[in-house]
Amino acid sequence: MTMSGGKVDPGGDGRDSGSAKVTELESLRHRVKELEAENAKLLSLISSCQCQQMEVKHDVSVLDPGSLVRRSRKARKRADSIPSHLVSKRYIALKIMYFGKRFYGFSAEAQMEPSVESEIFKALERTRLLVGDKKESNYSRCGRTDKGVSSTGQVIALFLRSRLKTPSGDSEAHVDAKVNERGEYDYVRVLNRALPDDIRVLGWSPAPIDFHARFSCSAREYKYFFWRQNLNLSAMDIAGKKFIGEHDFRNFCKMDVANVHCYTRRVTFFEVSPCQNSHEGAQLCTFTMRGSAFLWHQVRAMVAVLFMIGQGVESVDVIDTMLDTTKIPRKPQYLLASEIPLVLRTCEFENVDFICSSGAAESLRTHFKNESLRYQLESVIFQEALRNCLPVGNEKSSCNGVEKKKKGAVHVPLLSRPTEPSYEERSAKLKSRQQETCHV
Amino acid sequence: MTMSGGKVDPGGDGRDSGSAKVTELESLRHRVKELEAENAKLLSLISSCQCQQMEVKHDVSVLDPGSLVRRSRKARKRADSIPSHLVSKRYIALKIMYFGKRFYGFSAEAQMEPSVESEIFKALERTRLLVGDKKESNYSRCGRTDKGVSSTGQVIALFLRSRLKTPSGDSEAHVDAKVNERGEYDYVRVLNRALPDDIRVLGWSPAPIDFHARFSCSAREYKYFFWRQNLNLSAMDIAGKKFIGEHDFRNFCKMDVANVHCYTRRVTFFEVSPCQNSHEGAQLCTFTMRGSAFLWHQVRAMVAVLFMIGQGVESVDVIDTMLDTTKIPRKPQYLLASEIPLVLRTCEFENVDFICSSGAAESLRTHFKNESLRYQLESVIFQEALRNCLPVGNEKSSCNGVEKKKKGAVHVPLLSRPTEPSYEERSAKLKSRQQETCHV
């Protein structure tokens, strides 16, 4: 996209300065568009950064007037003939699956599209199950998974249109949670027809009026898939079990000092286990961990350190050391494990029982089988590439004389690495910035 | 991406239309400055990133007003101290693998980025193996695969820098094809370090001066991967073998009347065969076909019809009918098979013998195994979703009373479908358009 340069406008007003201004106007407009496109591109590049060097969530400004990236929802709403406060509604919980790879996270707040949440709301609008707008729907979500992270059990809650009339006929028009679901919209089926292939509703449930997808959640379970290769599974299992219990996980997360002041969390379950899948000789395995709540990037940080232990470059004791925040007040720098294999598997609630019609369930199963095969086919192409490599022993060239041996990456012990600022140091810095701002 | 809108500038020049333009001019200039500053900020943020997640070297352009998105190659080329015509060069053929999903085809001509070709040339420049520019390199390519199509045996030819001195020392500085490769650059290794994960060089060969990647090619082989499911493999094999021989394939391609006037092609081999892979009970299979050359979309069209035969909704005889262009002068409308499973497996040449050093070969094999596992993991997430579907029998709701049975797609027999214009009709239309243009 290069500058168009000044296009001569033959219909100019005749005066030199006038037509020059029009030309400059056009070229400036074009330049603004180019820059906005480049800006959006850079923002999306930045969002893929996983190192601690860039505080993406907090720093990137959306140059808004116009909000570069966030799409206007007003353009999509059709006028309803019945005023929304008279439409029969009920408070619903939805269980959601998504393959997170192409999304900028679950949440639409970061204003980078697409997000899982924004796709869900598009489907809700398209199917007219959303009455009024998102703000009026009392919407809440259980977890806020990051870019690339998937889920098979995310939960959201909000008011949706109901087919059932309210028993009392009051103008609030809320269908009581205890009302029998017979006759209700098949929310799962309706929504799944409107969602993209990588998002599905797995079930729905009436929700009590005090239900909150985040605060009513009693437990969350994550799974992290990986290929065994040469990793020492039992060492990783021993190490991972040290996470069980209540601990300060500040050395296993990305601190968000402005909003999070307590880094203590409870892990109730941890396990490394092989899955049934094996592929071309490689054994699929998974980490499974449960807790009431997890910090930002906590699972990926835990997994990163477990991999080092599995590779034999760190001892299982490094977990105990890193959980001891008096001994290690500053987090050593290390890369997070990749986000793609991470799955928020399930979120648990006391008073919610998800249901799904048999028709919708059958469609779901067919869909997941087909998608699994479709993604598998991509892997097959790399296997074909492997088969088409030149045969071993085809070495007529001894390259450039000096056979460059590939350098193995040298592992720097975690406890010898540069560290990040401690919670106290970050907190103090934030306070002083806030004070400066106040004094301006 | 919306425009910033007009910011009111109180210092306008007073005349209505003139001042509106000046106001807008000033606000646009301001906006441009804002955006340039923001982009510079984002770029410097990006440069502080230390993780591998951002393919900084491939995507981020150096912002200069001339070239926002397409990286200006001039900016990146360091001035060579040796003039290019004196640099030792040789004419090389490269065997290329790529996973086509994210590319807009192999060829850079369509000017939609990214293309496989443009990525290869970026790597050639980055490694300084390209001497001078693309135009001077006598570049040719064997096949022009479409968007999404992969290859394990694409071939290109061009002049590349050589480590060897020319025997004759002439100013043309071409290393003779017959010169022993010992001591030459390890082209495969050098390029593979600079290429993205989905493109690899599999081997290189000296090429005789009259070699042309397209015209010297004696045969091309395609593979199309698919899951067996309920398809009738033997019917598809019988049907596919009818393609063998010399036929007019106009009903099995997308006609390009401006450039292609003869739709006769020779298919020398066809086979349906199961692969060793099986996945969650599904059997992987492949179509393999060879020919001297294929028309645009020919393989995908052939596969589309074969699938109909495999599903039992068309008879094997429909192949004979569609190959009879006197009987069927106009192509029935049907969708092409998906592009992702299509692989240009190999291109054959008489006088080319690809070589690869053992070090480069080992890296390639490791890479393809890793990529295969990485893509496989994505499929695993959908299997996990399948496992997390609500159990069968969880049917507390009988949906909305009326159980909507999913309608199976009705197959309209090929020979009953609407048709596209014949070659003659398209040709006549093109001629009359050309005549109109001439008369303007």
Side-chain angles (χ1 to χ4, degrees), chain A residues 24 29 31 34 36 38-39 45 48 54 66 101 277 345 356 372 376 378-379 383 388 394 396, chain B residues 2 24 29 31 36 39 45 53-54 60 68 101 277 345 356 372 376 378-379 383 388 394:
Chain A
E24 194 189 344
R29 284 180 193 136
R31 175 85 176 130
E34 275 184 325
E36 285 174 341
E38 181 68 12
N39 186 274
L45 254 187
S48 70
M54 300 196 326
K101 182 176 182 182
N277 303 52
R345 194 192 78 85
C356 181
S372 174
Q376 175 85 358
E378 301 185 358
S379 162
Q383 295 164 44
N388 282 275
N394 183 319
K396 293 184 190 159
Chain B
T2 56
E24 195 188 346
R29 286 179 193 136
R31 177 88 175 127
E36 284 174 339
N39 282 3
L45 257 185
Q53 305 311 318
M54 296 196 330
V60 174
L68 280 177
K101 184 176 180 181
N277 304 51
R345 194 192 80 81
C356 183
S372 173
Q376 175 86 357
E378 301 185 359
S379 162
Q383 296 164 43
N388 282 275
N394 183 320

Side-chain angles (χ1 to χ4, degrees), chain A residues 177-278:
Chain A
K178 298 181 210 60
V179 167
N180 195 317
E181 294 79 28
R182 183 170 283 273
E184 184 54 274
Y185 287 123
D186 188 347
Y187 293 113
V188 178
R189 180 165 223 145
V190 170
L191 282 169
N192 284 340
R193 279 201 294 242
L195 285 165
D197 285 341
D198 40 12
I199 305 177
R200 281 296 181 271
V201 177
L202 299 181
W204 72 278
S205 166
I209 197 60
D210 61 349
F211 180 85
H212 190 285
R214 182 177 167 198
F215 302 121
S216 306
C217 179
S218 53
R220 292 168 175 88
E221 181 178 301
Y222 280 91
K223 281 185 105 152
Y224 194 96
F225 292 94
F226 62 97
W227 299 100
R228 178 179 190 158
Q229 294 171 320
N230 294 323
L231 293 168
N232 183 337
L233 292 189
S234 69
M236 295 195 293
D237 193 61
I238 290 167
K241 286 184 153 56
K242 291 170 182 286
F243 287 125
I244 294 174
E246 202 170 79
H247 301 283
D248 188 318
F249 282 94
R250 69 184 65 186
N251 293 329
F252 291 95
C253 74
K254 186 175 161 83
M255 270 196 264
D256 175 12
V257 175
N259 297 308
V260 181
H261 309 292
C262 172
Y263 290 84
T264 304
R265 295 290 182 276
R266 174 178 290 284
V267 171
T268 56
F269 178 88
F270 177 91
E271 187 182 73
V272 185
S273 44
C275 299
Q276 281 176 338
N277 303 52
S278 91

Side-chain angles (χ1 to χ4, degrees), chain A residues 14-29:
Chain A
R15 287 171 292 179
D16 275 3
S17 60
S19 61
K21 283 203 189 74
V22 167
T23 300
E24 194 189 344
L25 258 181
E26 282 170 3
S27 73
L28 281 172
R29 284 180 193 136

Side-chain angles (χ1 to χ4, degrees), chain B residues 91-94 109 117 137-144 154-159 205-220 292 347-352 354:
Chain B
Y91 195 48
I92 298 283
L94 295 173
E109 286 164 10
E117 208 173 68
S137 67
N138 202 33
Y139 169 75
S140 59
R141 59 169 181 251
C142 183
R144 224 180 32 171
Q154 170 70 279
V155 172
I156 67 174
L158 74 171
F159 273 100
S205 165
I209 197 60
D210 60 348
F211 181 84
H212 190 284
R214 182 177 167 198
F215 302 121
S216 305
C217 179
S218 52
R220 293 168 173 89
S292 48
C347 303
E348 279 170 22
F349 299 86
E350 307 280 301
N351 43 12
V352 160
F354 290 103

Side-chain angles (χ1 to χ4, degrees), chain A residues 48-51 335, chain B residues 49-57:
Chain A
S48 70
C49 169
Q50 292 174 8
C51 64
L335 291 176
Chain B
C49 167
Q50 293 175 8
C51 63
Q52 270 76 30
Q53 305 311 318
M54 296 196 330
E55 296 286 343
V56 179
K57 50 189 196 285

Side-chain angles (χ1 to χ4, degrees), chain A residues 349-416:
Chain A
F349 299 85
E350 307 280 301
N351 42 11
V352 160
D353 213 1
F354 290 102
I355 50 187
C356 181
S357 70
S358 54
E362 195 189 322
S363 294
L364 274 169
R365 279 190 287 271
T366 302
H367 178 70
F368 291 142
K369 284 178 191 161
N370 286 342
E371 289 302 282
S372 174
L373 290 178
R374 197 160 69 79
Y375 280 88
Q376 175 85 358
L377 214 48
E378 301 185 358
S379 162
V380 159
I381 288 170
F382 285 91
Q383 295 164 44
E384 182 66 20
L386 188 57
R387 272 194 289 277
N388 282 275
C389 282
L390 295 172
V392 182
N394 183 319
E395 304 168 29
K396 293 184 190 159
S397 154
S398 67
C399 7
N400 49 3
V402 180
E403 183 87 39
K404 285 191 188 145
K405 272 229 163 303
K406 189 176 176 185
K407 284 195 282 192
V410 175
H411 175 80
V412 175
L414 275 173
L415 305 179
S416 311

